[in-house]
Amino acid sequence: MGIRDDVNLLGRTLGQVLKEQEGEDFFNLVEEVRALVRRARGGEGSAELQTLIADLEVGDAENLLRAFTWYFQLVNLAEEYERVRSLSEAKGIRSQSLEKALTDLKALGLSAEEVEALIARVNLGLTFTAHPTEMRRRTVRNHLVDVADTIPELGEADRAEEATLRVAAHIEAMWSTPELRRLKPTVQDEVKGGLSYLPIIAQALPRLQRDLERAFMHVYGRHSDARLPLSFSSWMGGDRDGNPFVTPEATRETLTLHRERARELLLTQISQAFADLSQDDDGEEPYRQTLRELHNAVRDGEKVDLLPTLEALDARLRQDGQARSADQLLTPLLTVARTFGQHLVSLDVREHSQLTGAAVAMLLKEAGVSENYADLPEEAKLDVLSKELTSRRPLWPAGTPFPEELERTVGPIREVQQAVAQVGPRAFGRFVISMSESVSDILEPLLLAREVGFRILPVPLFETLADLERAPSVMRALLSLPAYRAVLGEDVQEIMLGYSDSNKDAGFLAANWALHEAQRQISAVCQQAGVPWRFFHGRGTSIGRGGGPASRAILGQPAGTIDAGIRITEQGEALADKYSHPVLAHRNLEQALYGLLLSAARPQNPLPEAWTDALTRASKVSAQTYRDLVEDSHFLPFFEAVTPIHEISRLNIASRPVRRPGAPTLSNLRAIPWVMSWTQNRSNLPGWYGLPEAMDTIGLEVAREMYREWPFFRSMIDNAQMALAKSDPVIFEDYLSLGGAGTELAGRLKAAYAEAVRQVEAVIGGELLQNELRLKQSIALRNPYIDPIHRIQVELLRRARAEENGLDIYERPLLLSVQGIAAGVRNTG
């Protein structure tokens, strides 16, 4: 069977369930809508479809949304299995695999020893974060997992009948299971949802480690002890920026859950190794004895020397002539222990610079150091902070509890301190400071940590366009301070770059170029200071927030900027897309590692001045075009009319508010709902707007040359073509009917979209996605079936806005429509 067979079978099974559960009339309604959508897509007009949807009762509208959303959930499963099937059947050296990485590195002239040194130097850090479009309850996800596990059996003659019945049973159960949470998801809901993918990743890691060992043998003809340069972190339960629900207690509960899940993972792996390593020596089972002692210590929650014990066992096996047993039977446990340990993932703490600054001001005032620290100029602040950081005296009276306002900021540091004491230093990652604008913003958390007697490493997060432009000078000043260098020591300096707010500030191309230049200049600063560095990329899943394939993004990094590796955020729906199956997890990880190794080895040759000059000019033009749009006095009302942003802000989608504190403005709207709103109406504006003017400035021939020869530019244009291909002018026209039709802004956007498509196709030399046929097929497969969800959402928005208390009446079906579009389009935020 192929993907179309799987899709057809799953679709027929869903249809049968709908007929049985909701009756023939509803099933016929679904089929009628599908037929009308196909006719509208074929150019026969949509008047009959629009009339049908306008006349729908709320109950029928809700059930139609559910039916088409379930269709997409099942299509997603079929696509995932098709990817698993094609990967499993692939022969020879796969593209972007670890063996291909070593082959390419050898072709660049690197010896085995140089590749080993490269792998030891770099690290790929994947950081899990929550995302509002991953709204499915775990109960529903469990049903979908069971259906996914059954799909392979649908094509086996002796098992197809039973497998079909099992799939039908799960679809039947799902139809009667509420898809949406009745209550707003808690921080713990988000934590548990994200951590649920780690056991699947744990299954992929041993194979990946063996791939690395085999690659060395195949490419260089010798064994290597190189280990996967891979680590996992999380923000869920530690990201406090604008989320009042991430309290110190929530952080404590998160860290407890990390330890529990790590213990479960380790005990499973230790038990399997115990069962496998059954070798006997004069009536003793020496390997099992070691594993039994380790099992009991982990079970009882003791802090154990996990890696030294297992590495000694590995060495003993090899010394005893049991190398195969070490490679095949102990490697899974050893790899999982190296990656997850007793901590599972490293929890970062993120806080807004205003709050860390306010907490420091309170401490300094209490200690009589400064009555008005917050009002001091930057130089005076740095003088105060530098003196205090070289002092050991506490600022708050010993034994006196912090007031609640201060405890909320300092408390999470105390919680990670206790977790580190229980399971080791990897329980905590870094302290990320949102909206870092100055050196004092970066130093202030160090003073808070000193109050609890704990060492942290601060990570400045440069988010806005102005922050990115200022970042190199901020980092130069920071690294010149002896007080800070004493704290940093020999550790890696991390610098986080925000894709979201920079895009919201300046638009697609200007944000991408600002990020490129910030990395290039900060790298030079760190290199001059003699400090190892690593960039932490705050990417979303949408193109407007730095999304797109991870390997493409890594390969598109400026040459010479990957020093100690790279960190990347992985958000809600991306976790489901990448890590729902061990084969998919393996593929995504190997592709990202391929990108890391090749990018880290890329020589730092100066870019042609014509290219950098062209992009600098294009960036200014593109940013001005974008600012002219969003600063238009009519833009905010237009945005609120033609997107569901107002409704999204009222819906119980995520634990985090959609805006930062303050009166509703475009500036305090968070980037996820900003991008999500444009995805819901299929304009995908943040992923391409301003590009035509930029291309006009660059010129077609220069743009084609840059696309052929410059990985950064190619990655940017490929991401833009993906955003344009996933846009749909026909659907966007429907949303314009909510209040934007006929306006100057509507005409501007439609003309800009058409011109962006023309310009990108001219640069790449063909139709959009001509080299990504699987994605093109996926979009074509989905478009006719996502249309009803869009059209029903538009109708619900029209009703909700026209009726008194309309959102209260239509809240549930609107939320279902948001979820359905997210399932159908993917890469939504």
Side-chain angles (χ1 to χ4, degrees), residues 155 243 308 322 346 370 395 428 700 778:
N243 192 340
Q322 305 288 310
S346 301
S370 175
L395 294 171
F428 173 58
L700 180 58
S778 176

Side-chain angles (χ1 to χ4, degrees), residues 129-135 541 545 571-573 654 672 676 828-829:
T129 68
H131 193 285
T133 60
E134 182 57 17
M135 298 176 289
T541 57
R545 296 187 58 242
Q571 294 192 342
E573 62 184 281
I672 289 178
M676 186 177 171
T828 56

Side-chain angles (χ1 to χ4, degrees), residues 337-360:
R338 283 172 176 159
T339 306
F340 299 118
Q342 289 183 276
H343 68 288
L344 192 69
V345 291
S346 301
L347 183 69
D348 286 339
V349 173
R350 179 169 78 139
E351 184 59 279
H352 196 286
S353 60
Q354 286 185 351
L355 293 181
T356 53
V360 165

Side-chain angles (χ1 to χ4, degrees), residues 46-83:
S46 60
E48 190 176 350
L49 175 63
Q50 298 285 41
T51 300
L52 185 154
I53 289 174
D55 292 340
L56 284 174
E57 297 290 336
V58 177
D60 282 340
E62 185 171 313
N63 275 342
L64 279 172
L65 289 168
R66 294 182 66 220
F68 283 104
T69 297
W70 280 124
Y71 176 83
F72 278 121
Q73 302 285 18
L74 296 172
V75 167
N76 288 346
L77 296 183
E79 286 194 337
E80 286 169 7
Y81 177 63
E82 178 65 13
R83 287 161 61 199

Side-chain angles (χ1 to χ4, degrees), residues 35-49 791:
L36 290 173
V37 164
R38 283 196 296 270
R39 285 166 54 185
R41 277 273 164 187
E44 297 181 37
S46 60
E48 190 176 350
L49 175 63
R791 294 178 189 274

Side-chain angles (χ1 to χ4, degrees), residues 92-98 100-101 587 590-591 594:
I93 301 177
R94 285 193 305 277
S95 66
Q96 297 193 348
S97 63
L98 287 173
K100 186 66 168 68
R587 180 56 176 160
E590 73 171 353
Q591 287 181 300
Y594 171 88

